[in-house]
Amino acid sequence: MSPSTADPASERLHALDALRGGALLLGIVLHAAMSFVPATPRFWFIQDTHPSLLMGLLTFTIHVFRMTTFFLIAGFFARMSFHRRGIQGFVRDRLQRIGLPLVIGWPILFTPMSLIPIWASHFPNGGWSRTWPPALPNFPLTHLWFIYVLLELYVAMLLLRAAFVWLDASGTWRAAIDRLFAGMMRNPLAPLALAIPIGIAFCLDQRWINVMGVRTPDQSLITNVQAWIGFGTAFGAGWLLHRQIGLLRTIERRWLPHLLLAVVLILICFVLSGVMLSAPGAPKLPVSFASLRLVSAILYAPAIWISTFAVMGLALRFMSGFSPTWRYLADASYWLYLIHLPIVMALQVALSQLDWLGPIKFAIILLVALPPMLASYHLLVRFTFIGVVLNGRRAPREAAPAAAVAGSATP
């Protein structure tokens, strides 16, 4: 069955592409703030001498929606690419732009990322102990885990689609799924329906607390069930959304109520996370830890999807027009995200012992890291074969006017 084309989508694709790039750039912000999160025991390779509750709220908020948003848009663009290129072209393109950066980039990036924690171990609250070499399937995918999961989801979706085409030659099942999905998306309770699978996964995980969000498979070659459910649901929803692009209007119209509700839910979940982290050592809590975990799961799962719809609606409402700056940043975001972590980690160690406020040091990390990273993209990637590998095309030099380049340097 052909997807609905009642709604011209060309301008909306600018918004979604900018949002995809924004999700990657927010990953840089997230990692830059991790050393300032006040957590006991610490979970990052170093904890700054000046932790900040504000930085804790920032990382918590970004962590709620960022990867679900990314995988939703990835599923949307995956189907668009599949139907433009065909199956062979799609597989070749994905191996080039996703598989090759993983195979080549991982050893280059992991080397400094394994040395920096050794440097950090010479400072209070620094370093972490991890066995190397790991026993397979344990493997430190680090921040490149999302590429690995993307490859898995591409394979799963191609197999699932092939099964549907074979078993549903008339298109009856696909038409029914389209009607069901459209009916759900037009209902104001759509985020709650999409939250049910991951909410159940949270409830069944006895070790889960909401600061974890969806468990990311960054230390194993076997993707955990929670990641399959959470990110697989998002990817599948994006694939189905591309079949009926007109449904983007519904998400756009509801951006404000989604945003307001997302803010409320995130704040409640953030407070609950503080209570849960102190719960094991707090003997006089009025409710049990299990009850707190259940309430947190019931709230956190819809918070993921409502906030995802909120940022998506915001992008569709305010970023649908073409912007040279956002186009440039969207192109650069993949490269920036690939290379950022060793740079950010080194800066976190260098600033960790200074007697400055955490938010100030956080701002310095971004201000110092981003300009050279952007320069490396512009000089080494954008007009070179690396840019062809990452972005699938060679950008002509005239496509990057000075205004766009200057605007892109603003963190």
Side-chain angles (χ1 to χ4, degrees):
M1 190 185 80
S2 299
S4 170
T5 56
D7 180 28
S10 57
E11 290 193 354
R12 285 181 170 81
L13 296 184
H14 294 312
L16 296 183
D17 197 43
L19 184 58
R20 177 175 57 180
L24 290 174
L25 295 176
L26 278 177
I28 301 175
V29 175
L30 173 72
H31 291 142
M34 295 283 261
S35 63
F36 304 99
V37 176
T40 304
R42 64 181 175 87
F43 58 89
W44 196 234
F45 79 101
I46 192 168
Q47 188 171 62
D48 196 89
T49 54
H50 288 72
S52 166
L53 188 63
L54 179 62
M55 293 294 98
L57 178 58
L58 176 64
T59 60
F60 187 89
T61 301
I62 294 173
H63 195 51
V64 170
F65 67 86
R66 185 178 75 92
M67 292 314 299
T68 300
T69 301
F70 175 84
F71 280 104
L72 176 69
I73 298 174
F76 182 95
F77 282 118
R79 186 179 184 277
M80 183 177 69
S81 177
F82 177 85
H83 282 273
R84 282 182 176 178
R85 302 174 186 274
I87 185 168
Q88 292 184 353
F90 177 78
V91 171
R92 185 167 53 249
D93 179 73
R94 296 298 93 179
L95 289 176
Q96 172 188 303
R97 298 177 60 188
I98 307 298
L100 198 58
L102 176 61
V103 173
I104 296 177
W106 182 88
I108 296 173
L109 293 165
F110 184 75
T111 300
M113 288 171 59
S114 62
L115 296 176
I116 293 171
I118 298 175
W119 173 29
S121 66
H122 293 86
F123 299 100
N125 294 320
W128 54 34
S129 58
R130 287 180 178 170
T131 303
W132 184 260
L136 294 177
N138 295 331
F139 190 84
L141 288 167
T142 67
H143 66 303
L144 302 185
W145 67 265
F146 81 102
I147 299 179
Y148 185 80
V149 173
L150 267 180
L151 292 172
E152 291 183 313
L153 289 173
Y154 292 144
V155 172
M157 188 57 70
L158 289 177
L159 292 175
L160 186 62
R161 182 188 181 277
F164 264 97
V165 170
W166 179 49
L167 296 172
D168 183 34
S170 65
T172 303
W173 294 1
R174 280 166 283 174
I177 291 173
D178 282 340
R179 287 194 298 270
L180 182 64
F181 184 74
M184 180 188 70
M185 292 296 291
R186 293 189 179 105
N187 192 303
L189 299 180
L192 300 184
L194 289 167
I196 290 174
I198 191 60
I200 293 174
F202 289 156
C203 291
L204 295 178
D205 184 352
Q206 298 301 315
R207 298 176 300 165
W208 182 84
I209 56 176
N210 63 16
V211 291
M212 297 177 181
V214 180
R215 290 184 181 272
T216 56
D218 57 331
Q219 294 297 319
S220 176
L221 294 176
I222 298 179
T223 301
N224 63 74
V225 174
Q226 216 173 91
W228 270 108
I229 293 173
F231 304 135
T233 299
F235 188 90
W239 186 281
L240 292 175
L241 188 60
H242 184 263
R243 287 179 62 84
Q244 302 178 85
I245 297 179
L247 294 173
L248 291 174
R249 282 187 170 180
T250 302
I251 298 175
E252 180 182 357
R253 285 197 302 267
R254 295 173 180 161
W255 72 269
L256 183 56
H258 283 154
L259 179 62
L260 295 175
L261 189 53
V263 169
V264 171
L265 284 173
I266 288 173
L267 289 175
I268 293 173
C269 289
F270 181 67
V271 172
L272 277 175
S273 70
V275 175
M276 292 177 73
L277 288 173
S278 63
K284 295 185 178 180
L285 281 173
V287 293
S288 68
F289 182 79
S291 299
L292 282 174
R293 190 176 60 80
L294 180 61
V295 171
S296 186
I298 291 172
L299 294 177
Y300 193 90
I304 290 174
W305 278 98
I306 292 171
S307 56
T308 294
F309 277 26
V311 295
M312 196 170 178
L314 277 168
L316 291 166
R317 175 65 179 84
F318 297 105
M319 301 173 66
S320 286
F322 175 75
S323 165
T325 299
W326 276 114
R327 175 70 262 176
Y328 186 93
L329 289 175
D331 287 345
S333 62
Y334 190 15
W335 169 257
L336 298 183
Y337 189 77
L338 290 177
I339 68 169
H340 83 280
L341 199 49
I343 300 169
V344 166
M345 290 171 65
L347 289 170
Q348 286 174 326
V349 177
L351 297 177
S352 64
Q353 307 304 306
L354 296 180
D355 191 20
W356 300 345
L357 292 176
I360 293 177
K361 288 194 272 189
F362 163 74
I364 291 173
I365 290 172
L366 292 179
L367 288 170
V368 172
L370 286 174
M373 288 164 56
L374 280 164
S376 72
Y377 169 73
H378 195 74
L379 297 174
L380 305 177
V381 177
R382 185 166 177 82
F383 309 111
T384 70
F385 75 95
I386 302 176
V388 175
V389 171
L390 296 181
N391 295 328
R393 65 190 183 283
R394 187 184 300 275
R397 289 187 177 273
E398 59 270 19
V405 177
S408 69
T410 304

